[in-house]
Amino acid sequence: MGLSWMLERTGLTERAKQDVLRAAVDSGMNFVDTATLYGGGANEELVGAALHDRYDRTFLCSKVGLRAEQLDPPKTERCGDPDYIRQAIDDTLRRLRAETIDLYYVHRIDSDVALEDTWGAMAELVQAGKVRSIGLSEVSVQQLERAQTIHPVAAVQSEYSLWTRDPDGSGHTSDGDPAGDVIGWCREHTAVFVPFSPVGRGYLSGALAGRKFPEGDFRAENPRFTDQARSTNDDAVLPPIRAVADKHGVPMAAVAIAWTMLPSLDGGVSLPIPGTSSLEHLAENAQAADLQLDTEDLEVLAAIPAASGQRY
Ligand SMILES: NC(=O)c1ccc[n+]([C@@H]2O[C@H](COP(=O)([O-])OP(=O)(O)OC[C@H]3O[C@@H](n4cnc5c(N)ncnc54)[C@H](OP(=O)(O)O)[C@@H]3O)[C@@H](O)[C@H]2O)c1
């Protein structure tokens, strides 16, 4: 997402962005996440240009149902209309240079359209062979139950990280509705849980100290990135992560990402999707895969208080 939308772009050329994506897949990080929303299709085009010759070893995911009403500053609108979904997949496949994709999510539920109608249109895409499986993002258990009666939910993507966490996987959807135990629901229904923003949009890496964000960067207006919230979180959230990182000799981002994989130990499958525009950060984040957090680490991280500032 950050290569094309919402986060400060560091003036990278298209070639450099493609190099990051190729390096990820070539080093075994093959669970690739994009969306029609990101850059109004630009991110899907980028993924297509960078990875189309690697699709035999890429698990390719995109999302529909949120579109860019305006690119700069970013403004979104929801669209869960079945006709739109039928047309959007063809545009997505063209941009991705793919005949089919592995996983297609509804990015956000559109309250003007019955969930059953949106999800029914998604199920048709599986039957048509355009997508192999379908998922939902930022939904509640109640919504998952409704969808599941029509077609199996393969994956659920929700924000989940050391500063957006609940011991039972509960919390709230981006509409403010109680989400319920989404992680537990995934485990029981063999759906994959996909934590997004596992590095807390960069914050949990500890590398954003004092950084100001330009207009158009999502964090410039985000309640968790105000000076006031940061001054509280800098003292409460970051030191425990730093202590665990120092103990294991790994970057803080690796600790943050490894923590989001813990639901897998409980019999489920949790596949986080960290984002980066940097080859150096990519290598740091890969260290999460081999990091074994022990009981003492988990106690230190569990003691992190609730973050100051709403996530949206
Ligand atoms: N379903 C949804 O509604 C939704 C919403 C948001 C995101 N997502 C998905 O989740 C993915 C990741 O989310 P995200 O980009 O919001 O958050 P994230 O992965 O938590 O953080 C990305 C930010 O962290 C920085 N970063 C990453 N690794 C770092 C490291 N090792 N050291 C220092 N900084 C580091 C990146 O900067 P650099 O570029 O400098 O590394 C970038 O600014 C997105 O690409 C998107 O696919 C989904």
Side-chain angles (χ1 to χ4, degrees), residues 282-297:
L282 189 72
E284 287 186 9
N285 297 352
Q287 295 182 46
D290 297 321
L291 178 59
Q292 306 279 340
L293 297 173
D294 60 31
T295 314
E296 184 191 58
D297 302 330

Side-chain angles (χ1 to χ4, degrees), residues 1 33 108 137 157 197 199 201-202 273 275-277 281 285:
M1 177 191 76
D33 189 82
R108 288 288 183 281
S137 176
Q157 189 172 133
S197 304
V199 191
R201 306 186 192 261
I273 45 170
T276 184
S277 59
H281 292 165
N285 297 352

Side-chain angles (χ1 to χ4, degrees), residues 42-303:
N43 196 253
E44 290 179 331
E45 276 171 12
L46 174 68
V47 169
L51 299 180
H52 67 95
D53 59 353
R54 286 165 170 78
Y55 282 167
D56 58 335
R57 50 204 160 97
T58 304
F59 193 96
L60 191 56
C61 316
S62 192
K63 317 185 202 75
V64 65
L66 262 188
R67 56 185 174 191
E69 193 185 339
Q70 181 181 294
L71 284 179
D72 202 9
K75 217 172 147 197
T76 62
E77 63 179 352
R78 297 184 185 204
C79 189
D81 179 65
D83 285 339
Y84 169 70
I85 286 178
R86 287 182 204 109
Q87 170 237 308
I89 184 62
D90 291 338
D91 294 339
T92 283
L93 292 175
R94 178 178 41 76
R95 287 191 288 261
L96 286 170
R97 308 186 197 183
E99 285 175 10
T100 179
I101 58 172
D102 296 296
L103 174 59
Y104 202 37
Y105 299 88
V106 178
H107 208 155
R108 288 288 183 281
I109 301 292
D110 179 350
S111 57
D112 291 338
V113 181
L115 184 159
E116 286 73 11
D117 291 346
T118 303
W119 193 244
M122 296 289 284
E124 281 172 26
L125 303 183
V126 180
Q127 276 127 34
K130 295 184 179 185
V131 311
R132 295 199 176 90
S133 62
I134 52 179
L136 289 156
S137 176
E138 291 270 296
V139 285
S140 64
V141 164
Q142 207 186 24
Q143 290 168 323
L144 286 167
E145 290 291 349
R146 284 168 63 190
Q148 185 77 1
T149 61
I150 295 169
H151 190 94
V153 178
V156 183
Q157 189 172 133
S158 302
E159 182 165 357
Y160 185 65
S161 69
L162 278 166
W163 75 350
T164 300
R165 78 205 143 105
D166 294 274
D168 62 355
S170 61
H172 290 84
T173 68
S174 47
D175 294 320
D177 299 326
D181 183 4
V182 168
I183 294 177
W185 190 93
C186 287
R187 194 172 49 237
E188 278 161 29
H189 295 82
T190 58
V192 173
F193 179 65
V194 181
F196 76 71
S197 304
V199 191
R201 306 186 192 261
Y203 182 80
L204 303 173
S205 72
L208 295 184
R211 182 121 145 239
K212 295 283 174 211
F213 302 105
E215 196 190 339
D217 185 308
F218 167 81
R219 295 167 295 191
E221 306 286 337
N222 184 274
R224 283 214 177 149
F225 287 91
T226 61
D227 289 344
Q228 196 187 1
R230 281 212 256 180
S231 68
T232 306
N233 293 330
D234 284 358
D235 292 336
V237 177
L238 296 182
I241 305 174
R242 189 170 292 118
V244 173
D246 289 349
K247 175 178 142 186
H248 290 276
V250 297
M252 288 170 66
V255 173
I257 296 165
W259 185 87
T260 67
M261 296 194 283
L262 292 176
S264 297
L265 300 179
D266 225 11
V269 179
S270 176
L271 290 178
I273 45 170
T276 184
S277 59
S278 144
L279 289 168
E280 193 190 326
H281 292 165
L282 189 72
E284 287 186 9
N285 297 352
Q287 295 182 46
D290 297 321
L291 178 59
Q292 306 279 340
L293 297 173
D294 60 31
T295 314
E296 184 191 58
D297 302 330
L298 298 185
E299 279 170 17
V300 171
L301 298 173

